[in-house]
Amino acid sequence: MAIALGAAMCLGMGACGSSRGGNTAGSEEIKKGDTIGISMPTKSEERWNKDGNNLKRKLESAGYKVILSFADDKPPQQNADIENMVNNNAKIVVVASKDGTAVGPAVEKARDAGAKVIAYDRLIMNTKAVDYYATFQLEQTGVLEANYLIDKLGLKTGAKGPFNIELFTGSPDDNNAKYFFKGAWNLLEPYFKSGVLVSPSNHGGGVKADFKLADWQKISVQSWKAEQAQKDMESIIDSTYAHGEKLDAVLSPYDGISQGVINAIQEKRPDMQPGTASWPYITGQDAMEIAVSNIAKGTQGQTVFKDVNKLADATYDMILEIAQNKKVTGINGKFNNNNIDVPSKLLDPQNITKDNLTDLVKANYVTQQRFDALTK
C-alpha cells in the first residue's frame, strides 16, 4: 500500500520525476569519433564566438567530431541547426538558446533520437528534454551591478539623494534576463520605496516604487542590441534630461547595452564628461572588449566577468562524464523550466572595475598585448 500510495503521489504531483539527471547509468557509452553538436545563438556578439570555439577546440582535442553552428539571432535557424545535428547522429547537443521557449521542439527531437541535451548559459524552457544546465550564478550578476551603484552613490553610508537612475533589462526572450534583474532589483527596490532613488523618465511606463519584478520586460532591450538601447536612451534624454538635468546612474545588464547608453549620452549631452561628477555610473556584464576600453577611459564603471573559459571547462567535464557513462559531478543547484527541475552546474561571476581590470589578463581571457591596445 505504501508503494502504491507513493507512486500515486508521484503521478499526481509530478514531483518524483521532476528533477532529471545526476547519473547516466544505463546509457550507451559515447566513443571517440562520435559527433557532439554545439548550437550558439549568434555570431554578432563577441562572447558567443568565444564560448562556441572554446568548447569546440576542447572537444576536438579529446577526439570527438564537433558540429558548431550560430543561429544569426533567428529561432527557426537554431531549430534547423539542431535538427541538422540530430540528422548527423549527434550524441550530445549543447544549446545556448536564442529563445529558450522556441527551441523546445528541436531539443525534443534530439532527445527522441537518443541524444543528451545540455542547456548552455541560457535555460531551455517548457520541456522535459533538458538533461543538464551549465551557467553562472544568475542573480549574483544583478547583485554585483546593484552593489556597485549602491556603493558609488553612497547609499549604505546614508546618502539621501534623491538620485536619478535609469534602468534597463535584457532581451525579453532570454530567461536569464529576469534573474539578472531580480538580483539587482531586490537591492535597489528599498531605495525606490524610500525615495532615495528615482527614475524620472517614463521609460517602459515608468519605474516607480511599486514596480514589480514581473514588469521587467517593460524596460527590456530586444536581443540585447546596442542600437536599440541607444534609441531608448536617446528618447529618455530627450524627454527628461535635455535641459541639463542630472543623471546619476544607469543600471545596464550587459556591455552592449551599456555602449548604446554611452553613445546616446555623448550624442545628446556632450556637456556630460567622463571622469567628472556630470557623468553617470554605468554598469555592464560580459567583460567585452568594448567594456575593457570603456572602463579604462571612464565611460563605463563596472562589468560582470563571467569567465567563459571556465564555463567551457565545466561543460566539457560534463560532456566527458556523460560520454563515459559516469555520474555528472559538480551539480550545485537546479532551475525549474516550467516543466522540470533541471540539474545545474553554477559558476561564480566576478565584479570588474578599473581597480582590478588586469584580472582579465590574469585569467587568460584577454592577452596582455590586446589589453594594452584596448586600454592605452
Side-chain angles (χ1 to χ4, degrees):
M1 287 179 64
I3 293 171
L5 180 60
M9 289 176 67
C10 282
L11 289 171
M13 297 173 62
C16 298
S18 67
S19 184
R20 194 187 225 125
N23 197 332
T24 61
S27 301
E28 180 183 352
E29 185 170 340
I30 299 168
K31 301 181 292 296
K32 298 293 178 68
D34 283 342
T35 298
I36 296 172
I38 305 171
S39 174
M40 293 284 130
T42 183
K43 255 190 173 180
S44 65
E45 300 291 343
E46 176 187 321
R47 70 151 297 187
W48 298 116
N49 289 282
K50 286 186 176 181
D51 284 80
N53 285 295
N54 281 347
L55 194 51
K56 180 176 186 287
R57 182 171 56 252
K58 292 177 72 67
L59 289 169
E60 287 180 337
S61 296
Y64 297 99
K65 294 179 182 177
V66 177
I67 300 174
L68 171 61
S69 64
F70 296 88
D72 195 29
D73 278 323
K74 298 173 182 175
Q77 180 61 52
Q78 186 159 46
N79 285 355
D81 291 341
I82 294 169
E83 289 180 17
N84 177 62
M85 295 169 188
V86 173
N87 293 336
N88 281 276
N89 200 29
K91 303 296 185 182
I92 299 172
V93 177
V94 180
V95 181
S97 58
K98 162 58 185 170
D99 183 323
T101 300
V103 80
V107 297
E108 286 166 5
K109 289 182 180 179
R111 280 302 305 273
D112 290 345
K116 293 289 184 181
V117 175
I118 299 173
Y120 185 94
D121 201 46
R122 295 175 173 177
L123 187 57
I124 300 169
M125 305 300 293
N126 303 328
T127 178
K128 293 182 179 180
V130 189
D131 293 281
Y132 297 99
Y133 181 29
T135 190
F136 291 86
Q137 297 280 2
L138 301 181
E139 289 185 31
Q140 184 63 19
T141 295
V143 168
L144 293 173
E145 292 168 349
N147 273 329
Y148 170 79
L149 297 180
I150 289 169
D151 177 59
K152 288 298 181 180
L153 294 174
L155 304 189
K156 285 185 178 179
T157 55
K160 299 300 182 183
F163 298 102
N164 291 337
I165 182 173
E166 298 299 331
L167 297 87
F168 292 84
T169 60
S171 189
D173 55 8
D174 185 344
N175 187 63
N176 285 9
K178 176 180 68 177
Y179 289 101
F180 298 149
F181 182 65
K182 181 181 180 183
W185 187 242
N186 284 344
L187 295 178
L188 297 179
E189 183 181 21
Y191 296 107
F192 273 83
K193 289 188 178 299
S194 67
V196 175
L197 291 179
V198 295
S199 183
S201 78
N202 199 41
H203 175 50
V207 178
K208 309 299 180 186
D210 60 351
F211 193 83
K212 305 297 183 187
L213 173 63
D215 298 325
W216 70 272
Q217 291 177 323
K218 294 179 180 179
I219 54 173
S220 62
V221 179
Q222 182 65 48
S223 299
W224 305 84
K225 292 295 187 181
E227 298 83 1
Q228 185 60 54
Q230 181 171 343
K231 290 178 182 178
D232 291 345
M233 191 65 202
E234 287 178 350
S235 178
I236 289 169
I237 293 173
D238 285 341
S239 67
T240 312
Y241 300 94
H243 304 291
E245 294 87 351
K246 182 79 165 69
L247 173 62
D248 296 290
V250 178
L251 177 73
S252 166
Y254 164 63
D255 295 335
I257 292 174
S258 309
Q259 183 61 53
V261 169
I262 292 166
N263 291 345
I265 295 172
Q266 291 178 327
E267 175 68 25
K268 295 286 186 176
R269 286 288 304 273
D271 60 301
M272 295 167 64
Q273 291 296 311
T276 72
S278 66
W279 190 264
Y281 299 109
I282 301 173
T283 62
Q285 177 186 184
D286 276 351
M288 293 172 63
E289 288 193 350
I290 191 63
V292 174
S293 179
N294 285 339
I295 290 172
K297 63 187 179 186
T299 53
Q300 182 175 330
Q302 175 265 9
T303 189
V304 177
F305 174 40
K306 300 189 304 183
D307 192 340
V308 295
N309 296 324
K310 290 183 178 180
L311 186 59
D313 289 344
T315 306
Y316 171 77
D317 292 342
M318 186 182 288
I319 290 170
L320 289 190
E321 289 169 338
I322 293 171
Q324 295 165 11
N325 202 20
K326 295 179 179 178
K327 181 177 180 178
V328 173
T329 59
I331 300 299
N332 58 347
K334 60 184 179 181
F335 272 84
N336 189 277
N337 73 348
N338 298 330
N339 200 312
I340 58 171
D341 291 326
V342 183
S344 304
K345 185 179 287 192
L346 308 174
L347 308 183
D348 293 322
Q350 180 185 352
N351 194 56
I352 294 289
T353 66
K354 197 169 186 177
D355 293 337
N356 66 340
L357 197 55
T358 55
D359 282 3
L360 300 176
V361 178
K362 295 174 186 176
N364 295 317
Y365 185 74
V366 62
T367 67
Q368 185 67 58
Q369 182 180 13
R370 185 60 182 155
F371 181 85
D372 291 342
L374 293 168
T375 59
K376 297 179 181 178

